[in-house]
Amino acid sequence: MRRIRIHASLLGLGVARLPGALREAEAAGVDAIHFDLSDGCFTDNLTYGPWLPADLRGLSHLEFEAHLMVVHPGAYYDELSRSVSRIYFHAETVEDPRREAAAIRNLGVSPGLALSPETPVASISGQLDSVDSVLVMLVKPGRGGQAMDASLLDKVSELSAIREREGLGFSIAVDGGVKPGNARLAASRGADVLISGTGIFSGDPMRAVEEFRRSIKLVDERCTRDVAS
Ligand code: DX5
Ligand code: ZN
């Protein structure tokens, strides 16, 4: 059965709020915690470094992942490998995605390739066998709380078609403006992982995650029936 995962982004929460947010996310039943590391260069804002997931690692049983919105992602892999199990690097920041993926995998971490809105799927279609996941940005990278550009879900459909045609195993994550109200749309286009910040933490996380699960349930069930028939 296809099970869509919900990953909670902590971007936008103050540091003092983080231990409580981890507890709430775990109680709400999210599948992972998503750390957005940005350097004020690839993005216009600066968030935090690899020290943050490391500092928080002991406070949660949840899987941690890092989304590197930085111009030199390779400088972060080693330190992050001690606290996260997945690293997304941006296609726009590396010369050879296959080499980056291998460097991440050599550290025992799962490599993911992230695409900014302006980056076409065609530019990375030859690299998809080297990564475990592809993250499709649905907003300009950097800040939480932006509205999803739903036209970018065409990239999810495109990736899903390539995956099926070529028999590849990468998962597809969507990030930016993902809310309970548009989760079904993203999932029906082929997204396996929904990354959400304000969609979870702007209100009651428990309730938000329930709403996410309810809205994607039909997609999960339809896929189960498709597989069974
Ligand atoms: C944006 C980040 C996202 C963001 C998600 O650049 O990559 O992970 O924090 O936050 P929301 O869900 O509020 O768009
Ligand atoms: Zn992110």
Side-chain angles (χ1 to χ4, degrees), residues 67 121 136:
H67 175 191
V121 169
V136 178

Side-chain angles (χ1 to χ4, degrees), residues 36-226:
D36 290 292
L37 276 60
S38 67
D39 61 358
C41 192
F42 181 70
T43 57
D44 60 9
N45 61 325
L46 175 66
T47 58
Y48 32 72
W51 54 268
L52 187 67
D55 269 15
L56 296 174
R57 184 56 286 180
L59 300 185
S60 173
H61 296 105
L62 289 171
E63 180 185 40
F64 281 5
E65 65 180 20
H67 175 191
L68 291 177
M69 296 180 281
V70 302
V71 290
H72 296 300
Y76 297 69
Y77 301 158
D78 193 41
E79 196 175 343
L80 280 173
S81 70
R82 293 191 272 278
S83 61
V84 308
S85 52
R86 182 176 308 101
I87 295 175
Y88 300 103
F89 59 95
H90 266 264
E92 305 81 26
T93 63
V94 301
E95 271 175 27
D96 181 356
R98 188 173 292 279
R99 194 172 60 206
E100 301 300 314
I104 293 169
R105 216 182 277 287
N106 280 341
L107 292 165
V109 178
S110 174
L113 180 56
L115 301 180
S116 287
E118 69 278 10
T119 306
V121 169
S123 68
I124 50 92
S125 56
Q127 318 285 331
L128 292 169
D129 61 325
S130 69
V131 293
D132 294 337
S133 44
V134 178
L135 182 158
V136 178
M137 288 297 305
L138 303 175
V139 299
K140 179 174 181 250
R143 295 180 194 275
Q146 305 177 68
M148 168 196 288
D149 176 350
S151 70
L152 292 166
L153 290 172
D154 287 351
K155 287 158 81 168
V156 175
S157 306
E158 204 180 335
L159 285 162
S160 183
I162 294 174
R163 176 170 63 182
E164 195 169 324
R165 193 174 61 234
E166 299 185 10
L168 297 173
F170 61 87
S171 60
I172 304 171
V174 287
D175 189 6
V178 181
K179 302 270 179 357
N182 55 30
R184 185 183 303 179
L185 177 65
S188 67
R189 300 292 289 272
D192 312 289
V193 179
L194 306 173
I195 299 165
S196 179
T198 47
I200 293 176
F201 292 112
S202 64
D204 172 14
M206 182 80 79
R207 199 165 156 188
V209 172
E210 271 170 24
E211 283 176 27
F212 266 112
R213 298 262 181 238
R214 221 182 356 257
S215 87
I216 56 185
K217 191 164 176 278
L218 281 178
V219 182
D220 279 341
E221 284 175 353
R222 200 181 57 216
C223 287
T224 310
R225 281 203 298 277
D226 286 348

